[in-house]
Each structure stands twice: as structure tokens, then as C-alpha cells.
Amino acid sequence: MGGRGENHIARLADAIGAELLTRRQLLAGAAGAAAVGLGGGRPARAQSVKRGGQLRIAWIDTVDTLDPHFTSSLGAIKIHDNIYNGILKVEYDGKRVSFVPDLMEKWDMPNPVTHLLTLRRGVKFHDGEECTAETVKWNQERLRDPNVKSPHGWKLADLDKVEVQDKYRLRITFKRPYQFLPVAWTGSTGRAGTIVSPKAVAKHGRAYGRNPVGTGPFRFAQWVENDRIVLERNPDYWERGTDGKPLPYLDRVTILLIRESSTAVGALMAGEIDGLNLIPFQFLPMMDKNPNVQVFGGVEGNYTFIGMNNRRPPFDDKALRQAVAFAVDRGPIIQQAYFGGAIPACSAISPPMSDFYNADQCSSRRAQHFDLDKAKALRAESKYKGDVDVEWMVVGQYTGSGGVGPRMAELVQPMLAKIGIKVRIQLYEQATWHKKRNTGDFQMYDEGWVADLDPDETIYPEWVTGKPWNFVGYSNKEFDRLVAEAQFEPNVAKRKALYDKADTLLAADAPCAFIGHFKVFKALSKKVHGFKYIPADSMRFHAVHL
Amino acid sequence: MGGPPPAARRGPMLQYALQRLLHTAVLLFVISVFVFALMKMAPGDPVTVMLGADFNPESYAKLRRELGLDRSVVVQYLIWVWRFVQGNWGTSYISGAAVTKLVLNDALPVTIYLSVWSLLFALVIAIPSGVLAALKRNTWVDYVGMGLAIFFNSFPSFYLGIVLIWIFGVSLGWFPTMGYIGPTEDLGGSLVHMILPAFTLGAWYAGLIARITRSSLVDVLNQPYIKVARAKGVEGRAVVYKHALRNVLIPVVTVVGLQLGGMLRGAVMTETVFALPGIGRLVTIAVLNREYHLVQATVMVIAIMFILINLLVDVLYRHLNPRVREA
């Protein structure tokens, strides 16, 4: 274990050391960083910043709660990022995604299971309480407390103990080395590292999600159900802008909860609002052409797929599933369902998982790809002869999780007809769709897993035997073993090799047909400056100014 | 005017009121059973929605128990009704906010405000147009007016809303495309924000009222008493305003009353398109999230409003049409 441990420590130290520098550079450049174009993250030349003003931004995805330890919606996490800080945070330099200190100042690892954290001093919550080692300890224990029932508790399942050493220092011990920790500890998608105010949780109880108190650049001001969420400038925020004064620059951010995306697009075009947190693909050409709008986006840590119920006929037959995987031509789907805003996926790991993405999966044609002859041959091998009728359940709404509505099903339908699979497309609304998916009451469906920054997040709960999100009922012992081993493998190269094998196995078993890694787009008016695109579907307004 | 003496009239009036009250109670009971059953029969449930991607059988069972959804449907219904009549409408599963606050404080005023403006707008446009069309019947004024009326009456409101947003909001920039400002917050701002939604919702209504006004005015103008009035030498306009219009209003009031429910239906679409936080949008989102308490309370409130409006129409109708009063 020793050697592997050293590698891990070296990797973390290397990452953090490098990122600290990057972070400083980022802080210096962030405010002035002008718009990053499509797919990019180019920091531009610094420019003078303006303080004050209000940003009005439309939110078209659901916001469930502002308690980060309980959310299951990305729409909410994007807001949390502005109210809270994490132990770590996600950064992006245009090429690589990395995890850098946020509330933490220093991270030492005397051995692979022990983490010594030194916190930033003098950070205050919006209610005036200081964020100390005790606060972080309380947060970690809240997450894993079975009585609290946080849906993110599993991320700290291997946490052994948290000891406070002094006001700003903690010693956190895990039962085993834990490779997912840097992601779990981020304040954004990780959620297990988002630090909430213990005092406010005690005060509000169950209503805390509607009365959040964090240490972030904006404090919560108001939530009018189904209408708006208002955030106000935190005058005591600790990060500084390019003018040397505390961030944020904006006085207020008003989040307009607009479900109808065409309304939000219209409002942005009319100049009534300053941005949109998500652009459905069909509006993309229009947004790109508008001279007053800047579009941000790129391929993110996600993949979409056509899931086939492995437990039920006819997809209990591997050859038939494989035939589907080879019969699907990803090109037209990407052009017509995603309006070009995606790249083909041959397996589950996507490009922003920089250390693990394997472009070779596609180029070598060893994973899934379009090959009609092969599909026909596999179809002939299938135990289900003749025409097969199946139902594909789709959800009508644009879901923000790669959901493109029934468009993809309509495109795939004729492709599968060529191999004798007759698809009946059945439209359900979201609640019904969720219930059917979760209880395995379907033959075929489509969806995507989003905002994942580590293969563990992207593969483990989704495809390991009996895991909660393995809705299609896939089971392969060898696959289970490989990804379980990868969770605790500190050596990046070895870990990548394990994921490569697992990924290849998954593509070959074809519990699903992988379709695309899609881009997530946001739009802001040209008068908004300083927004930095991060491919984790985040929306940080720390250094944004008008 | 004849009519029975006040003392004699009180008897039937009281009886009438009691009868109406009884009808209302029975009706509300039926509606409550219906909406409760309907929500329970709808596939999907709030627990699945609340758990989202964090679904697993254990947490599902646990949350179901916590929300009392594991009890029998009859017990759930009785608990709900008992609490409802006491004014305890429960809390929203998703937001944790009191349903009374969400429905009565937040959403209902918005919908009422929108409806009032839509109605006013519809009446102001439709009655003069109908009158004009009737007076100039079979001329181009009539054809254009009635053509427009049929057009707006048959144009789907959500689509009209989107078209208006793009023409008057995005392209011309004359009006705000979305959002709500309360009249107490900023009266001018709230009116400007109401123009497009009120037009969208009112247009359908205006088309309907204009057509009714026209046809009933044409009808009334052919009645003998108008001819008598004309023969007596009453000027053209006076005939219309003093004699004909009161009678024209009877079918108009009836239709307005009956169709106010249609306005609530239209509000669902209009509020969604214009991002207005009214009852229509509330109930749409609540249905999608399977927020049982919220949907049930909203439907009950809409039903009560419906009944009140009908009562109001009856009273107005009696006032306008003495024959009904006598009967």
C-alpha cells in the first residue's frame, strides 16, 4: 500500500500546489476575464470592473431546495454555488477540470487515509457566525448521520472519524483510501463538501432549505415560490476582486423561475433579463446569431444513452441489445436531436474527466459504434426471431439532463426498424416516467447522467449490480470487481486502466446504447462580464459584473 | 313595479339561499372526492419526484411513511377533508411552505388581477365592436369585426401569447414579455406587465362577447318595442343605448358568467407563457410534481370561486331581467 499511497499524496499535493497558483491567477484574471466563447475557457485581457447593479437571470430547470445536503437538482446546485463555499471547488482552465481549495487553505496527507485540513481564517457565515473546524466537523457528521438521511451520505460512507485539532485544523480519517473524495468535497456537484451554517440549521429545522445560510459571495434574501429567488451581496465575503475590494461586484442576483423556455429566450432577446441558465438545443442557432447575446458551453461530464431493460424480454437477450447498439447511427442524432451540440459517445467516460477519458474507445471502434451489417448479424444471433415489438418511454419536457424530448426516439425508430425492432414511442409526463423508470417498469427508455467529474460518479451507482441508479438491471461480476477496485486505487494510470477495462466491458455487454456526450449551454447578455465557464453545469456569479 | 311585499318575498329568498347553500355543500363534497380520487389514480407519486435521482427502495418506503401515503386512501381522504375544513391545508412536499399561503396569498391575487384586466379589456373592446357590427351589419365593418372576433376566439391562447411576445416584446420592444409586479408594489409597472397577458387571455373572451353582443343586438333591434320607440321619434342612438342595450346585456352577462371558468382554464396557459406566478402556473407545476395537497386545495379554491361567480351571475341576471325575479 505504501507505494500506492505515496503516489496518491504526490498526486494530490501536485494538483493542489499547481491549482493554488492557478487559483490566484484566476482570481486576478477572473473579474476581467471577458466572455468565453462557445466551447472555450480562454481568459481574456483584464478590464476595469464596475461595482453594483442587479443581474436578472432566468432559471428553466427545477430548484428543489437550497439545502445542499438534500438537493437532487442541478438547478439548485447552480444556486448553492453562489450562497455557499465548499471545502474544495471545481476550476477549469479551458483544458482541464481540477479541484482546488475553497474554504480550506492547506491539505496534508501523512498517509493515504488521513487528511489534515487547515481552514481559511476569519470566514463568516451570513448570520455572523465564524466557519471553524467545529463547523466543518459538524457538516461532515450531518451528512453521514443516518438519522439526517442525506441522500449524499453515501459519499462519506467510509469516513472513520473527524477530529478537531484546534480552531482551524481538522484531522479526517477514512477507512480506506478514497479516490472520489476530491469530487465529493467540492461545493458544487460534490455536495458533501458544501458547508452550511449549523446555527441556521438548528434554527430553521426542516425549513432550512428555504432559509439557507452559507459563507458564499451572496446571501439569500427571498424565495417567492414558482416566481423568483433573490440573492444579495454578502458585504463580508472573503475573496477579493481585481480592484482589491471584496467580491462580489454585483449587488443583487434575481433568479427568475421560468419553466417555459421560449418565454425566457424571448425575454433575453428583448433585453428584459440578462441571461439564461440553460439553453435547450433548438434555440441555439437563434442565440448564436443574436449580436447582444453571448453563449457559453462545452462538452460536459455526461453521457446520454438508450437504456434497455436487461431483466425483461426482449432485452434480456444480450445479442439483441448489442444489435441495437450497432444499429444506431449517432451522427444524425447529434445533428438533428442535439442540433450539433454533442459528440458521439462510445462509452460512459466523457472528455472533461481529463485523466480517464479515452478517445480511443471511439476511434479504435472497439466500443459501440454504427455498423448496420454487424447489427444485422447480431440480430440473427438473437433468440428472438422475427419482428420484435417494444415500447420506448419518453418524457416530453426538456429535462436539462440531456433530455431532448421525443426527438431522439423518433430518429432512432426507423434505424431499429431496419433490424426488425418495431418501436412504439410512448410519451409520459415526468412523474409517471420517473416512477416507471425507478421501479423497472419499462422495456426501453432514454436518459443522461450529468455533471459528473469522476468515472466513479459516472459508472458505479449506475451500472454496478443492484445499485440504486442501475434501472436497467445490468449485472456483470467482472465489471463490478473492476469498478470497485478503481474506487480505492490511488495510482492514476492504474485506475485509468481499470476504468478502461470496465468501460469496454460495459459497452460490449450493451445494457444500453451510448449516444452522446452533450454540451451544456448558458446564455448571457453582452453587457455581462466576468463569467467563467466551467464544464460542471455551474453558474458562479462571484466575479460577474455589468 | 308590482312584485310581492318585502315580508312575503323574504320567505322564498331565504329558502332559495338555503337551497343554494345545500347544493354548494353537496357539489363541493363531490368535487373533493373527485379531485382526491383523480390525484390518487394518476400514475407517479410525490415520493418519486422528491427523491429524484437519489431514489432507492428504502428511502422510498421511509419517505412514503413519513408523508402518510402508506395509509388507506379513505383514511387519507378523511384526514385531508377534516383538516381542510379547519383551514389546515397542509404543506407543500417540495417547498415545505403552507398551502394556504401558496394558494391564497401568493397565487390567487395574481390570477384575479390578470382575470380582472382580461375581462375589462374584453368588455371594453368587445361590446362596442359588437354594437358597431350590429348597427352596420352586412357592411365591411361587420365583416372585419366579426372576422377578427372569430379569429381571436379560435386562436389557441398559448400560441397567441408566444406570437405577441415575439412581436411586441422581442421585435418591437414595446412591452415587457414576462414577469409579474404587484399593483401595490408599482402600479404603473404592474399595468405595463399586464398588457400582453391580459390581451392574450382576453382576446378569446373578447371574440366570444363581441359575437354574442352583435347577434343579440340584431335580435333586439327587430323587436316590436324598438320599432315603437323609433315610431315615437326617439333618436337612433338613444334607442340603442336606452332601450336595446339593457336587454342585450342579459345574454352577455350569462355568457360572461358561464365562461369565467374558461378564463381560469386560459390562465393556466397564459400564466405559463408569461411566467406569471398565478394559480394556473401553481397548479400545473403542482400536478407535475404530484403535490397532492397543493393540487387538491387549488382545485377546491377554483371550484369555490366558480360557485361564487355563478351566484353573482344569478344575482346580476335577476337584477337585469325582472321576469326571472318574479318567477
Side-chain angles (χ1 to χ4, degrees), chain A residues 296-434:
Chain A
F296 299 85
V299 173
E300 301 209 340
N302 60 42
Y303 60 100
T304 57
F305 61 87
I306 305 167
M308 293 169 267
N309 196 334
N310 290 218
R311 284 173 292 220
R312 275 197 191 179
F315 295 119
D316 55 344
D317 180 33
K318 184 170 154 184
L320 191 71
R321 298 197 304 264
Q322 288 172 319
V324 170
F326 286 102
V328 176
D329 189 355
R330 277 90 178 157
I333 297 173
I334 282 163
Q335 285 316 313
Q336 291 164 40
Y338 292 93
F339 292 79
I343 59 167
C346 304
S347 65
I349 298 169
S350 84
M353 282 173 245
S354 321
D355 290 336
F356 305 97
Y357 176 63
N358 190 350
D360 185 49
Q361 289 277 22
C362 271
S363 59
S364 69
R365 294 170 75 83
R366 101 181 115 97
Q368 296 181 357
H369 58 273
F370 175 56
D371 184 339
L372 191 57
D373 292 335
K374 200 165 174 181
K376 282 181 177 160
L378 284 159
R379 181 71 184 83
E381 276 176 36
S382 159
K383 67 177 178 189
Y384 297 104
K385 307 292 176 202
D387 277 353
V388 178
D389 287 294
V390 291
E391 184 190 287
W392 179 332
M393 62 165 192
V394 295
V395 63
Q397 296 97 326
Y398 174 80
T399 61
S401 57
V404 287
R407 275 201 305 268
M408 183 161 81
E410 283 161 4
L411 287 164
V412 174
Q413 198 177 33
M415 297 176 187
L416 296 187
K418 286 185 188 161
I419 56 164
I421 298 176
K422 284 189 185 163
V423 175
R424 228 169 342 103
I425 300 170
Q426 189 68 46
L427 186 68
Y428 292 98
E429 47 79 49
Q430 225 151 3
T432 316
W433 184 92
H434 268 121

Side-chain angles (χ1 to χ4, degrees), chain B residues 263-312:
Chain B
M263 191 164 258
L264 286 171
R265 189 181 58 214
V268 173
M269 291 297 179
T270 312
E271 286 170 7
T272 305
V273 170
F274 289 96
L276 299 174
I279 215 157
R281 192 150 164 253
L282 181 73
V283 78
T284 314
I285 295 172
V287 168
L288 288 177
N289 288 334
R290 294 291 185 273
E291 289 242 48
Y292 295 151
H293 293 337
L294 201 45
V295 177
Q296 286 153 4
T298 315
V299 174
M300 291 309 285
V301 166
I302 292 174
I304 292 166
M305 277 176 64
F306 224 102
I307 291 166
L308 286 179
I309 290 165
N310 272 325
L311 202 65
L312 196 72

Side-chain angles (χ1 to χ4, degrees), chain A residues 95-361:
Chain A
K95 287 189 200 91
R96 269 183 73 91
V97 168
S98 47
F99 309 103
V100 307
D102 196 10
L103 280 176
M104 181 177 80
E105 207 167 56
K106 204 166 147 236
W107 181 4
D108 291 316
M109 287 182 69
N111 62 59
V113 294
T114 308
H115 304 264
L116 300 173
L117 306 190
T118 308
L119 298 178
R120 193 177 293 282
R121 284 158 189 262
V123 174
K124 290 228 167 99
F125 281 102
H126 304 148
D127 59 6
E129 292 286 298
E130 195 179 353
C131 176
T132 61
E134 285 290 352
T135 320
V136 173
K137 177 179 195 270
W138 183 90
N139 270 266
Q140 297 299 282
E141 282 170 354
R142 179 187 194 223
L143 271 149
R144 69 161 182 172
D145 181 353
N147 295 320
V148 171
K149 289 180 274 198
S150 161
H152 308 291
W154 63 271
K155 292 170 185 170
L156 298 179
D158 276 328
L159 180 65
D160 186 29
K161 52 181 185 247
V162 187
E163 297 154 289
V164 169
Q165 294 188 300
D166 61 35
K167 197 174 176 190
Y168 300 106
R169 289 194 309 138
L170 292 135
R171 182 188 178 92
I172 301 180
T173 321
F174 280 80
K175 290 174 193 145
R176 314 184 257 193
Y178 184 31
Q179 300 313 309
F180 185 61
L181 189 62
V183 182
W185 267 354
T186 60
S188 41
T189 59
R191 290 170 276 186
T194 314
I195 302 302
V196 307
S197 157
K199 193 177 143 198
V201 171
K203 184 176 162 195
H204 295 289
R206 286 185 78 137
Y208 174 75
R210 290 293 189 271
N211 299 278
V213 176
T215 56
F218 294 93
R219 61 183 179 201
F220 170 79
Q222 190 191 20
W223 185 335
V224 183
E225 289 301 327
N226 297 323
D227 186 40
R228 68 186 62 207
I229 292 171
V230 181
L231 308 179
E232 276 169 0
R233 180 172 189 272
N234 168 11
D236 303 318
Y237 191 55
W238 49 273
E239 271 189 280
R240 289 186 180 267
T242 47
D243 53 2
K245 294 184 210 153
L247 286 175
Y249 300 122
L250 294 166
D251 283 340
R252 180 186 273 243
V253 176
T254 299
I255 291 160
L256 300 157
L257 307 170
I258 299 176
R259 300 278 279 234
E260 179 56 45
S261 46
S262 54
T263 304
V265 169
L268 177 62
M269 303 280 243
E272 274 172 65
I273 56 170
D274 308 308
L276 210 63
N277 79 326
L278 199 66
I279 315 175
F281 295 104
Q282 63 269 31
F283 293 111
L284 209 55
M286 188 192 275
M287 288 290 191
D288 272 338
K289 266 184 247 155
N290 191 303
N292 302 319
V293 171
Q294 40 182 340
V295 174
F296 299 85
V299 173
E300 301 209 340
N302 60 42
Y303 60 100
T304 57
F305 61 87
I306 305 167
M308 293 169 267
N309 196 334
N310 290 218
R311 284 173 292 220
R312 275 197 191 179
F315 295 119
D316 55 344
D317 180 33
K318 184 170 154 184
L320 191 71
R321 298 197 304 264
Q322 288 172 319
V324 170
F326 286 102
V328 176
D329 189 355
R330 277 90 178 157
I333 297 173
I334 282 163
Q335 285 316 313
Q336 291 164 40
Y338 292 93
F339 292 79
I343 59 167
C346 304
S347 65
I349 298 169
S350 84
M353 282 173 245
S354 321
D355 290 336
F356 305 97
Y357 176 63
N358 190 350
D360 185 49
Q361 289 277 22

Side-chain angles (χ1 to χ4, degrees), chain B residues 233-253:
Chain B
V234 183
E235 291 294 317
R237 270 191 194 169
V239 171
V240 175
Y241 294 122
K242 281 194 183 146
H243 298 262
L245 216 49
R246 189 182 164 105
N247 287 319
V248 167
L249 285 179
I250 295 170
V252 170
V253 165

